[in-house]
Amino acid sequence: MAIELKVPEVGESITEIEIGDWLKKEGDTVAKDENIVTLESEKATVELPAPEAGKISKILKRKGEVAKVGEVIALVERSGEAKKDERAAELPS
């Protein structure tokens, strides 16, 4: 099951941010704590790291789009899950 990459709280009065640069693209592998995307608010720019090692399976918000705190902006497939799913698909039914 994929991990949801959500917009974290970045300040007390901030309820939404703008998606900055994606440092990785769909299909890229990431290490735990490796920065994936920059998030921009009126007060600060922060980098959002990968919560676990894996592969970016889907980017839901593009650069320049606005996202609310807590909103899912990407999905990360855990390391090993893709291989497990591929093996299951190869098994004869």
Side-chain angles (χ1 to χ4, degrees):
M1 185 166 176
I3 302 163
E4 295 179 333
L5 189 64
K6 296 181 180 183
V7 175
E9 289 190 27
V10 290
E12 203 170 293
S13 62
I14 298 171
T15 59
E16 58 185 26
I17 55 87
E18 183 177 314
I19 304 297
D21 290 321
W22 282 97
L23 307 174
K24 298 289 184 174
K25 61 183 184 301
E26 283 185 15
D28 284 354
T29 56
V30 293
K32 182 177 180 179
D33 296 329
E34 182 177 5
N35 291 327
I36 297 176
V37 63
T38 58
L39 306 174
E40 301 172 2
S41 73
E42 293 176 10
K43 298 180 181 182
T45 298
V46 296
E47 292 180 332
L48 186 59
E52 291 187 34
K55 178 177 82 172
I56 299 174
S57 57
K58 185 86 174 149
I59 291 176
L60 304 171
K61 291 282 188 175
R62 301 288 172 205
K63 180 178 179 173
E65 291 185 315
V66 174
K68 296 188 182 303
V69 170
E71 188 173 348
V72 177
I73 59 171
L75 300 174
V76 178
E77 205 170 292
R78 288 183 175 97
S79 291
E81 282 194 4
K83 293 176 186 167
K84 183 172 39 172
D85 291 342
E86 288 169 13
R87 281 195 302 266
E90 291 172 3
L91 293 174
S93 20

